Amino acid sequence: MENWSVEQVCSWLKQRNLGELVPKFREEEISGAALLALNDRMVQQLVKKIGHQAVLMDLIKKYQQQKSGLESLTYCCETASQKFPEVISGKNLKSFFARHKTLQWTSSYALPDFPYDVKCILAEKKCPDHSMRIRIIEFLQADMTKYLEGSLYPNSQQYNIVVNALLQAYPFLDEDGNGFLLWKRALKDRFKYVRRPIEDDEQVLRNKCKFGHRRGQTRKSSFAENKLDDVQGQVEEEPAHLKGSTMDLHIKWLNQEYMKTQRNWEEVDNRMNVTIEIRRKMISDKAPLKDILRLFPFLRCPYQLFREFQLLTHMDIYKKTVKILEIYSENILSLYVVRNNPINIMLQENLKQHTEEDVLKYMKMTAACLLLPEVFGDDSSLFAAVNEEVRAVTPVLEVKNPFNVSSCEFALYIEREELAQLDDCTMALAALVAAFHVFDIPCPKRIHRTLNFLESLVFEVRNP
C-alpha cells in the first residue's frame, strides 16, 4: 500500500464502498504513503461523514496491525529458518502465510460489543423481539464488514463462523433447534439490504450480473388469477377459516413482502400458515408450478420449503438430513462401487490440499451426497448435475465446483428453472427431498431407490 499511486488509492476506496471520497482524495493527491500517514484530525478534515471517518480509520488501523503482525511472523520464521533451515523453506513459508490467512477468521473472530439495551436483553436470556433482532443483525453485519475490510460479500463459511459464535455465546437464541438457519438467513438478508443501493462497486455489479434480478415481476398470469378466484369460491362454499377476500389480502401481502430486502419473517410464517389450505388445493389440482410460485413466492426460500414440509409431515427435514450425511458418509465413500467414480476421484485430489477437519468433513459429506445414486444404481442425472447443464424436468440439484470451499454453488431446479440457491450439500439434499413432497411431484423410477432410501431414514420407516 505504501507504493500506491493516487489512482490505486481511489480504486481501493471504491472496492470498500467509499466511492464518495474519491474526488476529495484526488483533489488532495492522497497516495498510499499519504493514506497511511493520516491521523484522526486529518481524516476529520478530509472526510465529512462520521460513518466514513470510522470505516476509513478502521481500515488504516487494521492494515497497519496486519503489516506489523506479518513482519513479526516473518522475523520469527527467519529466526527459525536460521536454526532449522531444513524445516522452513521459502515454499513452506508461503504455505504458512496462506494458511494463516485462511484460518484468520476462525481464530480471531469475536462478537462485537453490543449496545447497552441489547446487552440487558441478552443478559436476562430473553428471546429478543423483531426490532431487537434487527439491531443485533445490524451490529453483526457492520462487524463482519470490518473483518472483511469493507467487502459486502462474505462466503458461507464466514456466515457460519459468526452465527456459531452468536449461538455459542447465547444458546437460548437457538429457538427449537432452528436458530442457526434463522439467524444466518437474517444476516444474509441484511447484507443484501446494504448492497441494494450500491451501483458503482465492481464486485456488486459482477454479482448482480451473475445472479440476475428477476424479482421485479409482480404481474400474475390470467391462469393464476382465475385459479385463485376458483379456489376462493370453493373456500367460501366449504367451512373454512378465512373468506376469499381475506385470503387475497394475505397473498398480496406475501407478494409485497417478498419484494423487500428486509422481511418480517415472523409475519411471513403466520400468513403462510393461514394460506396453506388454498396452496395445497392448487397443488393437488395440478396447477402449473410457475403460477403457484407467483402466488406464494416464499416457497422459493429454503427455510419456507422446509417449513412447508414440516407442516405436512411433522418432520424436520434439515435436521434429519444432517444426521443422514454424518452417519452414512464414511460408509458410502468406502464402498467399492464408488471407488472409480469421477466424483470420488475429484474428492481424493482435493482432500490432499486441505488439513482442516471441518473442511475435510464438509468435502466428504458433499461427495457422499452426490454419490448416492451410484450406490443404488440409479440415474445420477436425475439427482444432480455437477458442473453441467440441468436437463431433468423433475426436482434436481445443480452443483458447481463442489469441493471448492470458496466458490462452490448449489441450486435446486424444477422444470429446468432455478427454484432456490442453497448454502451447502446438506441444505441441497434436504431441499431436493422436500420439493418432491411439497409440490406433490411423482418420483421418477430411475431415481426411486435413492429417494426411497432417504425417505425411509427421514420418516424412520426402517433402519437400512
Side-chain angles (χ1 to χ4, degrees), residues 99 102-103 157 325-326 329-330 333 343-344 346-369 402-406 425-426:
R99 176 173 171 77
T102 302
L103 297 179
Q157 186 179 8
L325 289 179
E326 287 181 346
S329 290
E330 293 290 346
L333 296 176
I343 296 293
N344 195 25
M346 195 189 312
L347 168 69
Q348 299 306 323
E349 292 175 353
N350 282 271
L351 288 178
K352 299 174 184 177
Q353 303 173 16
H354 298 274
T355 57
E356 299 88 350
E357 290 185 8
D358 290 344
V359 175
L360 298 178
K361 180 181 177 182
Y362 169 83
M363 287 184 174
K364 289 179 180 179
M365 289 174 66
T366 301
C369 170
F403 304 115
N404 189 323
V405 178
S406 60
C425 66
T426 306

Side-chain angles (χ1 to χ4, degrees), residues 161-337:
I161 289 169
V162 173
V163 176
N164 278 327
L166 179 68
L167 296 185
Q168 286 177 7
Y170 308 104
F172 59 92
L173 296 178
D174 189 9
E175 303 170 14
D176 301 325
N178 294 322
F180 181 85
L181 281 175
L182 291 171
W183 285 100
K184 183 176 179 180
R185 182 187 63 192
L187 192 54
K188 293 177 76 173
D189 282 348
R190 176 64 190 174
F191 270 97
K192 290 180 184 176
Y193 176 78
V194 174
R195 291 193 299 260
R196 190 174 186 178
I198 300 172
E199 300 294 341
D200 59 346
D201 185 82
E202 294 180 6
Q203 190 179 9
V204 174
L205 291 174
R206 281 199 305 271
N207 280 272
K208 283 184 176 182
C209 293
K210 179 179 179 182
F211 295 110
H213 283 267
R214 291 172 290 179
R215 293 185 179 179
Q217 300 175 359
T218 58
R219 186 174 177 270
K220 301 175 184 176
S221 67
S222 58
F223 179 92
E225 292 173 340
N226 294 335
K227 194 66 184 175
L228 176 60
D229 292 338
D230 294 343
V231 176
Q232 286 173 351
Q234 296 174 14
V235 170
E236 287 180 355
E237 293 172 4
E238 297 172 359
H241 297 291
L242 293 170
K243 294 183 179 180
S245 58
T246 308
M247 190 74 70
D248 188 34
L249 290 175
H250 284 304
I251 292 173
K252 286 181 178 178
W253 185 91
L254 287 169
N255 276 267
Q256 291 171 357
E257 192 70 10
Y258 184 75
M259 301 298 296
K260 297 179 182 179
T261 305
Q262 199 166 4
R263 299 155 179 165
N264 184 344
W265 288 105
E266 185 177 352
E267 187 62 21
V268 169
D269 290 347
N270 293 335
R271 294 186 187 247
M272 289 293 283
N273 282 348
V274 298
T275 56
I276 190 170
E277 185 176 351
I278 185 174
R279 191 161 58 252
R280 301 319 304 171
K281 180 68 175 174
M282 290 184 69
I283 291 172
S284 64
D285 287 347
K286 305 299 179 186
L289 178 65
K290 62 181 180 179
D291 293 308
I292 296 169
L293 294 175
R294 281 196 184 98
L295 295 179
F296 303 100
F298 278 101
L299 288 177
R300 293 181 177 274
C301 301
Y303 166 73
Q304 285 298 330
L305 190 65
F306 298 157
R307 196 171 177 278
E308 189 89 351
F309 182 90
Q310 192 164 12
L311 290 174
L312 296 173
T313 65
H314 305 289
M315 293 287 181
D316 189 332
I317 184 69
Y318 183 80
K319 275 188 177 180
K320 294 282 186 179
T321 307
V322 171
K323 290 181 180 178
I324 291 171
L325 289 179
E326 287 181 346
I327 293 172
Y328 287 94
S329 290
E330 293 290 346
N331 292 337
I332 290 171
L333 296 176
S334 65
L335 294 174
Y336 178 80
V337 70

Side-chain angles (χ1 to χ4, degrees), residues 305 309 395 412 414 419 430-441:
L305 190 65
F309 182 90
L412 175 65
I414 303 180
L419 180 78
L432 180 67
V433 176
F436 278 99
H437 284 268
V438 169
F439 298 110
D440 195 20
I441 298 173

Side-chain angles (χ1 to χ4, degrees), residues 66-77:
Q66 184 180 11
K67 179 186 174 186
S68 175
L70 288 175
E71 286 175 350
S72 63
L73 281 170
T74 305
Y75 173 78
C76 292
C77 291

Side-chain angles (χ1 to χ4, degrees), residues 82-131:
Q82 293 172 3
K83 295 181 179 180
F84 311 102
E86 71 283 358
V87 177
I88 302 183
S89 63
K91 182 177 180 181
N92 290 337
L93 184 61
K94 183 178 179 181
S95 174
F96 174 78
F97 285 132
R99 176 173 171 77
H100 172 75
K101 186 175 181 180
T102 302
L103 297 179
Q104 188 175 9
W105 259 81
T106 308
S107 60
S108 65
Y109 183 77
L111 288 173
D113 188 20
F114 291 115
Y116 179 74
D117 56 338
V118 177
K119 285 181 179 179
C120 292
I121 294 294
L122 296 175
E124 295 174 4
K125 297 185 178 180
K126 291 182 179 179
C127 289
D129 58 17
H130 182 67
S131 60

